[in-house]
Amino acid sequence: MSLPRYKITMLALSLGVASAFVGCSSNPSKKEVVDQGPQSSEQIYFEKAQKSLDRNQYTDAVKSLEALDTYYPTGQYTQQAQLELLYAKFKQKDYEGTIALADRFIRLNPQHPNIDYAYYVRGVANMEMNYDSLIRYTSLQQSHRDVSYVKVAYQNFVDLIRRFPSSQYSVDAAQRMKFIGQELAESEMNAARFNIKRKAWLAAAERAQWVIEHYPQTPQTPEALATLAYSYEKLGDKATSQQYIEILKLNYPNLVKSNGEVNLRAARKEGSWVNRATLGLLGRESQTVDTEENNEPKTEQQRSLTNRLSFGLFDKPETEQISEEDAAN
């Protein structure tokens, strides 16, 4: 029994479409990329990475260093390459990648002589996570945003100083901690101001008390004391309020009015964002990180591992060290 003509036509079309799909699936237009393994020796990969770093070609440097780390995980240059990779990733502003690499290096190489650098750069990378080119130079402060990353950075620097108190990075870490402390104190006071605005006096007092207890050396201290005095007065606790007013009279008499009341507006002005800024730390930090981007490629002596990993802070050229000594004398 023969099929009707229209059914034969439909069957032919169906077979044709099916064949086309089978052909497409068996002959993909894009070929799969297969790892061909190492294309160079360990030494050549490392030398290529060094040349790329000297030329500030961080993308090429990362490729060579990652290849070395992948293909020669127990090689002669592996640990040094991992440290160099930290630096290159940071210069690419890949802070998440930098933090992950630093964590791995700390976990796998706890006794390495340069492990203090991994602790240091991890803190710097966490510190940079919430900053960008606009935030640095506007009145929109980090302390008015999420401060979770700077809290982690603060702890990173604490770990560095506790484990390696004589590290060449400890002084800079301590300065960064000072700056972060101001940011965290300002974050607390920003919350306290909001609570005062909505008349949540107890919540405002708790925020201010946290600043007094944990960040007593920050410029936010006068406002915190004034906030405590003001909040307790509003809560009806005159005795506690008067205690803080007496402290203000001794240390910040301009914040107490002639009638004995606290001048909260003056206290806020006392800790204005201009005074809180950075004590010069943020500008110095930016210069420290960006110096190499604005300079010509350096010589091999200038571009030593220590000099590179410290963003130019350490292991300066001999001529530069002599000139600094002459200037000091």
Side-chain angles (χ1 to χ4, degrees), residues 44-326:
I44 291 177
Y45 273 126
F46 188 73
E47 290 175 353
K48 287 175 62 177
Q50 294 297 304
K51 290 179 181 179
S52 298
L53 289 171
D54 290 340
R55 296 169 182 167
N56 298 333
Q57 297 170 344
Y58 302 113
T59 300
D60 292 339
V62 166
K63 290 180 180 178
S64 296
L65 292 168
E66 286 182 338
L68 193 156
D69 188 33
T70 300
Y71 298 129
Y72 303 96
T74 59
Q76 177 184 356
Y77 300 99
T78 302
Q79 291 180 332
Q80 186 174 353
Q82 290 172 351
L83 290 173
E84 298 274 16
L85 187 57
L86 283 177
Y87 171 81
K89 284 284 189 179
F90 184 92
K91 295 299 286 185
Q92 286 186 314
K93 301 187 185 301
D94 181 3
Y95 302 126
E96 290 185 353
T98 301
I99 294 165
L101 288 170
D103 286 336
R104 187 187 70 161
F105 188 87
I106 291 170
R107 184 177 67 255
L108 297 179
N109 307 280
Q111 304 302 322
H112 193 277
N114 290 327
I115 194 174
D116 57 334
Y117 172 71
Y119 280 91
Y120 171 73
V121 76
R122 181 175 64 176
V124 177
N126 270 308
M127 192 174 178
E128 293 291 321
M129 282 294 287
N130 279 358
Y131 286 107
D132 57 42
S133 58
L134 295 178
I135 293 298
R136 288 183 183 279
Y137 304 110
T138 66
S139 60
L140 181 57
Q141 295 175 278
Q142 166 66 32
S143 53
H144 295 168
R145 306 168 74 214
D146 178 27
V147 293
S148 58
Y149 283 112
V150 289
K151 286 182 178 180
V152 175
Y154 190 92
Q155 188 58 50
N156 291 155
F157 294 134
V158 168
D159 292 341
L160 168 65
I161 294 174
R162 181 184 296 127
R163 292 171 182 269
F164 311 100
S166 58
S167 169
Q168 59 186 345
Y169 305 108
S170 291
V171 173
D172 186 73
Q175 291 177 323
R176 290 175 185 271
M177 287 174 63
K178 186 175 182 180
F179 168 71
I180 292 174
Q182 293 183 33
E183 292 285 271
L184 296 178
E186 173 58 16
S187 178
E188 294 296 326
M189 291 312 303
N190 188 50
R193 297 181 203 113
F194 173 75
N195 286 321
I196 286 179
K197 186 175 181 180
R198 67 188 186 96
K199 299 182 180 181
W201 314 119
L202 183 58
E206 289 176 346
R207 294 285 189 166
Q209 187 65 41
W210 185 268
V211 172
I212 298 300
E213 291 179 358
H214 295 88
Y215 313 110
Q217 304 300 321
T218 60
Q220 288 77 10
T221 298
E223 184 184 355
L225 290 169
T227 299
L228 283 167
Y230 184 84
S231 298
Y232 278 112
E233 191 275 332
K234 290 295 184 180
L235 287 168
D237 190 344
K238 304 292 185 180
T240 303
S241 175
Q242 189 60 38
Q243 289 179 1
Y244 287 110
I245 289 176
E246 293 300 323
I247 295 175
L248 287 170
K249 287 181 179 179
L250 290 173
N251 297 278
Y252 311 100
N254 60 309
L255 303 186
V256 180
K257 299 178 182 179
S258 57
N259 61 1
E261 296 179 355
V262 63
N263 190 339
L264 191 58
R265 178 175 295 181
R268 290 178 177 177
K269 187 176 180 181
E270 178 83 9
S272 67
W273 76 269
V274 175
N275 292 328
R276 286 194 298 264
T278 63
L279 300 179
L281 289 176
L282 185 57
R284 183 194 57 74
E285 169 203 328
S286 179
Q287 293 169 2
T288 298
V289 172
D290 295 335
T291 295
E292 297 180 15
E293 295 180 354
N294 300 325
N295 291 340
E296 296 296 325
K298 301 181 180 180
T299 64
E300 186 64 29
Q301 179 188 11
Q302 293 171 314
R303 298 286 300 178
S304 66
L305 175 63
T306 305
N307 182 268
R308 197 153 48 228
L309 297 186
S310 63
F311 309 115
L313 287 175
F314 305 108
D315 196 19
K316 297 180 180 179
E318 185 175 340
T319 55
E320 186 177 347
Q321 292 176 351
I322 293 175
S323 63
E324 289 181 357
E325 292 175 0
D326 292 340

